[in-house]
Amino acid sequence: MTNDELLKEAFEARTHAYTPYSHFQVGAALLTEGGKVYHGCNIENAAFGPSICAERTAFFKAVYDGERKFEKIAIVGGSEGTDASRTCAPCGVCRQVMREFCDPETFTIILADGKDKWKEFTLKELLPLGFGPEDLMRGNIPE
Ligand code: THU
């Protein structure tokens, strides 16, 4: 699936956002290595803390379904009533969730950048020197 196609899926996902508080609506489309697309939107909460970003919604839906290998994610965000064509970068918590399941060198993050345009980054570019599962497994046992 091309970046243009995945970005289109993210724009559709954004229409599902539940954002009565920030009115900032985000959509994400996550592509698995097997070619399936998982959609996510942000879902807010009156208690604020339980709110969840679009990216994590997409990841957790996929992980629940047993998916563990991911290729790329497209993200679009902007205030309600706008066309969300300005870049909306994933928050730090979402980057860390990506780090749990994705190879930092190859996993690609596609961000809308103007109308019908996008920029792409590797996870490593957006989360340099991240802490991942292998760091925890290694523990502090000397090699
Ligand atoms: N948000 C996302 O869903 N993803 C991001 O990458 C940035 C922020 C949401 C959280 C909240 O519902 C709203 O955007 C404003 O921060």
Side-chain angles (χ1 to χ4, degrees), residues 19 22 24 26 42 44 51-55 75 88-91 94:
T19 56
S22 75
F24 189 89
V26 186
N42 52 335
E44 298 183 344
S51 300
I52 188 166
C53 292
E55 298 88 325
I75 304 164
C88 170
C91 80
C94 289

Side-chain angles (χ1 to χ4, degrees), residues 41-90:
C41 62
N42 52 335
I43 303 168
E44 298 183 344
N45 190 282
F48 287 14
S51 300
I52 188 166
C53 292
E55 298 88 325
R56 272 176 289 149
T57 302
F59 265 95
F60 294 158
K61 282 168 67 183
V63 170
Y64 179 87
D65 277 357
E67 299 287 349
R68 295 292 186 271
K69 291 184 188 304
F70 302 100
E71 189 180 322
K72 54 188 176 179
I73 189 169
I75 304 164
V76 299
S79 295
E80 200 177 329
T82 68
D83 65 359
S85 56
R86 284 176 57 187
T87 297
C88 170

Side-chain angles (χ1 to χ4, degrees), residues 4-5 10 32 51 57 59 65 87 90 96 104 107-109 115 118-122 125 137:
D4 286 326
E5 286 165 343
T32 69
S51 300
T57 302
F59 265 95
D65 277 357
T87 297
Q96 186 62 37
F107 185 68
T108 304
I109 298 161
K115 219 175 160 3
W118 41 263
K119 285 184 199 153
E120 67 176 15
F121 303 89
T122 61
E125 287 176 304
M137 313 284 182

Side-chain angles (χ1 to χ4, degrees), residues 120-140:
E120 67 176 15
F121 303 89
T122 61
L123 177 56
K124 192 177 178 184
E125 287 176 304
L126 297 193
L127 189 69
L129 208 68
F131 184 80
E134 45 323 320
D135 296 303
L136 192 61
M137 313 284 182
R138 208 168 39 229
N140 62 358

